């Protein structure tokens, strides 16, 4: 069990764990799902002060280029601001400065006080103007220093500016009425053509969820490290806030233990790590990596560590594990959160699951010809469609549950066929909803040339898949004489090629280009061109040795066409490509190849280049 625990810890190393933060869903311009509401600062998922200030400037640049917004401004509607900025932190104030410089009518609504996030930093918290590679173009500048020097600097930069900041304004909801937003706070309502959300993670602190968490010695924020002296302190967390808290308390004359559930900290700032390492070397800080708090007691803390359970003497606990976003505010305002299932999301998911049910269970479903007693092998899709659009077909379709019961000779076949039928019915019903959804949202779905290509491609790919799958499985008909394997490989290849070009266009780095071309070429040549064209051509020219055919591509029946699709197993290792090994008559050659691939070649690749080397550079599943 200890070996397995170490193995899974190794698998997880460097990857996120736990629940994912739900940030507002935004486009590349920072616009939320509610058109006209923009998001900047911490809410974009990047908690860096310099980027927050730059985000404030960039959002005003975006509004400058918004022709609809500029047209609305000219209407000079009574009592309507051009912009309402919700949040008076660094990103909100930065946006306000830019709006002031460009003559916009605006107001900043702040629930507490200007720069309240910085105000709530612990005393002496070090400030780093990162990332160093980003040039500061915003009027509001961020400089290295401490909490106190940063606050002085920020206030000095805005003292002479007539910024309209209303403090103590907790915004409760944003409503859209036509082209105007109504921003409702506890003090009043404000109308504007555009809204900028710069509220940060102003929700509740995350909880540890352990007994004793409600004791008065448990905190989620450090105000003054000097509140403790010569005490035993536990800090829980692996981010910069946790490390900074531990450093500050240790420097105030305390012994600090840091508990973090993973083996390494979560991308901390270099300055924080240097200070922490010095304190660890001096014996003022102890690291409890891969550990979790089990229970908090009056004078101690029970811990679960990789070496077993431990009990630490303890005077105070700081749970620095982040804050939860104000989700209800977003939901009241109709702002979609990333990863959150809306009603439409659930219906799309249901459609995908039902269609998957048709495909998975339908693979073993008796041909529709038999179930409907059509009784004739069709020669074209025209004949299929002419049959489908008849009363005889639909009467037989409605009677199909009874037909399934009649023709099923065992319970597993009965269940398989019935699930497939019910999945097909549900898919047809949900497809009607999907068509209506696409028509209703066509303006947003097809707003850009890329979206036009993307959704058109999806529709064509789905149509081709349905023609191939249903034609082959239910009507014993192969499109243009080619089996499903050919068409599926073609779709896979075209998809990886098309979207790979898009990936290189969006992220034109050298690494992305080399990696993407590797995936495209491996999918196109050894996984499509060789098995579908080159090997069949060589076989027809009698250029393949019989041993090679019998051991690598054995026909289904004597004298039949070789199974050249097995060539994909040279790239897609077992058990990813399972058919070469799991079948009625596996060949010794493929057994040997599969064992060497899975237990020798891939482990060597992973050891030398990392766990993503095969999936990220070779495998077509990883490519997709």
């Amino acid at each position: 069990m200890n070996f397995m625990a170490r193995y899974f810890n190794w698998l997880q190393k460097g990857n996120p764990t736990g629940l994912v933060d739900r940030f507002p869903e935004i486009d590349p311009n920072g616009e939320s799902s509610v058109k006209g509401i923009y998001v900047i600062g911490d809410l974009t998922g990047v908690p860096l002060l310099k980027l927050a200030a730059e985000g404030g400037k960039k959002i005003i640049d975006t509004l400058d280029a918004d022709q609809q917004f500029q047209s609305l401004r000219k209407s000079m509607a009574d009592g309507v601001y051009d912009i309402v900025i919700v949040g008076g932190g660094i990103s909100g104030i930065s946006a306000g400065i830019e709006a002031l410089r460009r003559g916009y009518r605006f107001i900043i609504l702040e629930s507490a006080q200007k720069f309240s996030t910085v105000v709530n930093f612990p005393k002496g918290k070090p400030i780093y103007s990162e990332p160093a590679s980003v040039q500061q173009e915003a009027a509001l500048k961020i400089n290295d220093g401490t909490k106190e020097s940063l606050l002085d600097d920020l206030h000095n930069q805005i003292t002479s500016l007539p910024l309209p900041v209303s403090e103590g304004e907790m915004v409760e909801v944003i409503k859209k009425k036509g082209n105007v937003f109504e921003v409702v706070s506890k003090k009043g309502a404000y109308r504007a053509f555009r809204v900028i959300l710069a509220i940060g993670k102003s929700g509740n602190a995350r909880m540890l969820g352990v007994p004793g968490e409600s004791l008065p010695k448990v905190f989620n924020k450090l105000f003054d490290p000097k509140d403790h002296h010569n005490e035993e302190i536990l800090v829980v967390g692996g981010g910069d806030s946790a490390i900074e808290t531990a450093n500050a308390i240790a420097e105030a004359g305390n012994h600090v233990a840091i508990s973090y559930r993973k083996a390494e900290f979560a991308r901390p700032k270099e300055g924080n790590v240097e200070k922490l390492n010095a304190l660890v070397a001096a014996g003022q800080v102890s690291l409890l990596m891969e550990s979790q708090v089990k229970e908090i007691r009056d004078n101690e803390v029970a811990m679960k560590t990789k070496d077993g359970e431990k009990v630490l003497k303890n005077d105070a606990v700081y749970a620095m594990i982040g804050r939860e976003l104000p989700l209800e505010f977003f939901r009241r305002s109709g702002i979609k959160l990333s990863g959150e299932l809306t009603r439409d999301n659930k219906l799309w998911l249901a459609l995908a699951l039902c269609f998957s049910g048709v495909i998975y269970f339908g693979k073993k479903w008796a041909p529709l010809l038999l179930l409907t007693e059509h009784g004739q092998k069709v020669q074209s899709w025209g004949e299929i469609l002419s049959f489908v659009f008849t009363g005889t077909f639909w009467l037989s379709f409605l009677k199909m549950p009874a037909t399934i019961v009649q023709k099923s000779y065992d319970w597993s076949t009965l269940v398989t066929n019935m699930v497939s039928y019910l999945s097909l019915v549900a898919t047809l019903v949900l497809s009607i909803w999907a068509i209506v959804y696409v028509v209703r949202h066509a303006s947003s779905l097809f707003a850009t040339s890329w979206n036009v290509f993307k959704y058109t491609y999806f529709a064509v790919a789905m149509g081709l898949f349905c023609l191939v799958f249903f034609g082959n499985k239910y009507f014993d008909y192969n499109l243009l004489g080619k089996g499903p394997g050919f068409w599926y490989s073609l779709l896979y290849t075209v998809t990886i090629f098309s979207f790979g070009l898009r990936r290189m266009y969006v992220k034109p780095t050298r690494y992305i280009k080399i990696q993407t071309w590797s995936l495209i070429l491996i999918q196109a040549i050894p996984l499509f061109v060789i098995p579908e064209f080159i090997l069949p051509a060589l076989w027809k020219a009698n250029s393949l040795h019989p041993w090679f055919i019998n051991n690598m591509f054995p026909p289904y029946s004597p004298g039949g066409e070789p199974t050249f699709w097995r060539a994909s197993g040279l790239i897609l290792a077992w058990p990813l490509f399972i058919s070469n090994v799991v079948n009625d008559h596996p060949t010794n050659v493929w057994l040997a190849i599969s064992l060497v691939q899975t237990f020798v070649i891939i482990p060597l690749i992973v050891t030398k280049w990392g766990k993503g080397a095969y999936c990220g550079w070779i495998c077509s599943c990883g490519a997709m």
Side-chain angles (χ1 to χ4, degrees):
M1 291 301 292
N2 190 39
F3 167 77
M4 293 301 294
R6 292 201 309 272
Y7 172 70
F8 284 110
N9 284 335
W10 175 80
L11 282 180
Q12 190 59 43
K13 192 179 298 181
N15 294 301
T17 59
L19 297 175
V20 177
D21 282 333
R22 289 181 177 177
F23 293 99
E25 191 173 277
I26 58 176
D27 67 12
N29 292 322
E31 192 170 20
S32 73
S33 60
V34 179
K35 300 305 176 185
I37 297 181
Y38 292 82
V39 176
I40 58 175
D42 261 12
L43 284 179
T44 62
V46 185
L48 294 174
L49 301 180
K50 182 193 284 189
L51 295 185
E54 293 304 303
K57 175 187 182 300
K58 289 177 181 177
I59 210 68
I60 300 302
D61 291 341
T62 297
L63 292 180
D64 281 348
D66 185 340
Q67 296 301 317
Q68 183 189 35
F69 171 56
Q70 297 301 331
S71 176
L72 290 171
R73 286 186 63 216
K74 295 176 182 178
S75 67
M76 298 295 289
D78 292 338
V80 179
Y81 290 101
D82 294 331
I83 308 168
V84 167
I85 301 172
V86 182
I90 286 176
S91 59
I93 294 296
S94 176
I97 293 173
E98 299 297 334
L100 184 68
R101 294 172 65 183
R102 305 181 201 195
Y104 287 120
R105 298 167 292 169
F106 72 99
I107 187 171
I108 300 174
L109 307 179
E110 166 55 45
S111 62
Q113 57 181 308
K114 291 187 290 291
F115 307 119
S116 61
T117 298
V118 181
V119 170
N120 288 321
F121 284 167
K123 290 184 179 180
K125 171 182 167 70
I127 302 299
Y128 303 99
S129 179
E130 294 185 351
S133 59
V134 174
Q135 297 297 319
Q136 297 192 64
E137 298 179 2
L140 189 68
K141 305 298 182 184
I142 306 298
N143 300 303
D144 290 345
T146 63
K147 163 196 171 177
E148 290 75 19
S149 66
L150 176 63
L151 276 175
D152 289 341
D153 191 19
L154 292 173
H155 283 294
N156 288 336
Q157 292 184 59
I158 67 172
T159 297
S160 61
L161 300 177
L163 286 173
V165 181
S166 179
E167 297 183 340
E169 293 259 18
M170 174 63 77
V171 174
E172 297 181 322
V173 68
I174 301 172
K175 304 174 183 177
K176 189 172 186 179
K177 300 178 179 179
N179 291 321
V180 176
F181 291 95
E182 185 178 46
V183 182
V184 181
S185 77
K186 291 185 176 180
K187 290 187 177 180
Y190 304 84
R191 300 169 70 218
F193 295 121
R194 293 291 183 267
V195 178
I196 297 174
L197 289 180
I199 59 178
K201 296 182 182 180
S202 55
N204 299 320
R206 286 200 178 96
M207 306 296 287
L208 291 169
V210 299
E213 190 171 15
S214 59
L215 290 174
K217 71 170 187 174
V218 181
F219 309 94
N220 55 60
K221 185 182 294 184
L222 175 66
F223 291 99
D224 189 348
K226 294 180 181 178
D227 289 341
H228 305 282
H229 182 69
N230 198 26
E231 292 184 344
E232 295 288 336
I233 311 297
L234 175 66
V235 176
V236 183
D240 277 308
S241 61
I243 296 175
E244 289 164 359
T245 298
N247 289 346
I249 296 176
E251 290 174 336
N254 303 278
H255 181 265
V256 180
I258 299 182
S259 169
Y260 187 45
R261 67 182 185 275
K262 296 171 67 175
E264 297 178 1
F265 289 116
R267 300 181 296 279
K269 296 184 178 71
E270 186 177 347
N272 287 335
V273 174
E274 290 176 356
K275 186 179 292 187
L276 175 66
N277 290 338
L279 291 167
V280 170
Q284 293 175 265
V285 175
S286 301
L287 300 181
L288 296 174
M289 310 307 287
E290 299 179 71
S291 69
Q292 290 179 304
V293 177
K294 185 177 179 182
E295 183 181 359
I296 302 172
R297 302 163 188 158
D298 289 332
N299 299 308
E300 60 188 21
V301 176
M303 303 291 301
K304 182 180 180 181
T305 74
K306 59 183 178 180
D307 299 318
E309 293 191 5
K310 290 184 178 181
V311 176
L312 306 178
K313 183 180 176 183
N314 179 261
D315 297 297
V317 176
Y318 282 86
M320 312 302 289
I321 54 177
R323 306 185 73 82
E324 295 175 339
L325 291 169
L327 302 181
E328 290 307 316
F329 163 71
F330 297 129
R331 291 175 181 136
R332 286 195 300 269
S333 303
I335 298 172
K336 185 179 178 181
L337 298 171
S338 59
E340 186 169 53
L341 285 177
T342 64
R343 186 201 67 177
D344 289 339
N345 292 143
K346 292 174 182 177
L347 289 173
W348 280 114
L349 177 60
L351 176 57
L353 291 174
C354 290
F355 186 73
S356 299
V358 175
I359 301 304
Y360 181 77
F361 292 100
K363 286 190 296 185
K364 296 185 178 181
W365 192 8
L368 199 60
L369 284 171
L370 293 176
L371 294 179
T372 57
E373 298 179 355
H374 182 237
Q376 306 251 339
K377 182 174 180 179
V378 296
Q379 302 299 319
S380 69
W381 259 101
E383 187 178 345
I384 293 174
L385 293 176
S386 65
F387 170 56
V388 168
F389 289 103
T390 63
T392 302
F393 171 85
W394 286 105
L395 181 61
S396 299
F397 185 82
L398 293 174
K399 292 180 178 179
M400 200 170 292
T403 306
I404 290 172
V405 173
Q406 178 186 352
K407 292 183 176 293
S408 297
Y409 301 105
D410 57 77
W411 69 269
S412 62
T413 305
L414 173 64
V415 171
T416 299
N417 291 347
M418 195 64 76
V419 171
S420 181
Y421 173 75
L422 294 176
S423 297
L424 181 58
V425 172
T427 298
L428 293 174
V429 173
L430 288 170
S431 295
I432 297 172
W433 166 83
I435 294 170
V436 173
Y437 177 93
V438 170
V439 172
R440 287 180 55 196
H441 296 84
S443 59
S444 58
L445 290 175
F446 300 97
T448 65
S449 56
W450 168 246
N451 275 3
V452 171
F453 170 81
K454 179 172 65 175
Y455 292 120
T456 302
Y457 180 82
F458 288 163
V460 171
M462 178 57 72
L464 178 59
F465 179 87
C466 289
L467 285 175
V468 171
F469 179 84
F470 291 107
N472 177 267
K473 293 295 180 182
Y474 296 165
F475 294 96
D476 196 23
Y477 171 74
N478 287 328
L479 184 64
L480 300 180
K482 294 288 188 179
F486 172 86
W487 296 106
Y488 298 161
S489 296
L490 176 63
L491 274 177
Y492 223 101
T493 303
V494 173
T495 301
I496 290 176
F497 177 76
S498 303
F499 287 81
L501 293 181
R502 170 68 176 180
R503 183 183 189 230
M504 290 185 284
Y505 172 77
V506 173
K507 295 182 179 179
T509 65
R510 182 173 179 270
Y511 179 92
I512 292 294
K513 288 179 180 178
I514 296 174
Q515 182 193 37
T516 306
W517 276 116
S518 171
L519 293 168
I520 289 173
L521 292 175
I522 288 174
Q523 171 60 37
I525 298 173
L527 293 175
F528 181 59
V529 173
I530 289 177
E532 297 294 343
F533 294 99
I534 295 178
L535 288 175
L538 292 174
W539 173 65
K540 290 177 181 178
N542 294 318
S543 299
L544 295 178
H545 194 280
W547 181 95
F548 189 66
I549 293 176
N550 293 329
N551 289 276
M552 296 288 290
F553 314 111
Y556 288 119
S557 59
E561 185 173 346
T563 52
F564 291 122
W565 55 264
R566 296 182 187 276
S568 297
L570 295 173
I571 300 296
L572 304 177
W574 177 85
L576 189 63
F577 195 75
I578 200 169
S579 300
N580 278 343
V581 176
V582 182
N583 59 66
D584 293 336
H585 302 288
T587 68
N588 292 330
V589 172
W590 277 116
L591 286 173
I593 291 173
S594 300
L595 289 172
V596 171
Q597 284 175 318
T598 302
F599 298 106
V600 179
I601 295 176
I602 291 180
L604 288 175
I605 291 174
V606 170
T607 301
K608 185 171 179 59
W609 291 295
K611 288 176 283 184
Y614 179 76
C615 293
W617 287 76
I618 299 171
C619 175
S620 55
C621 296
M624 186 65 80

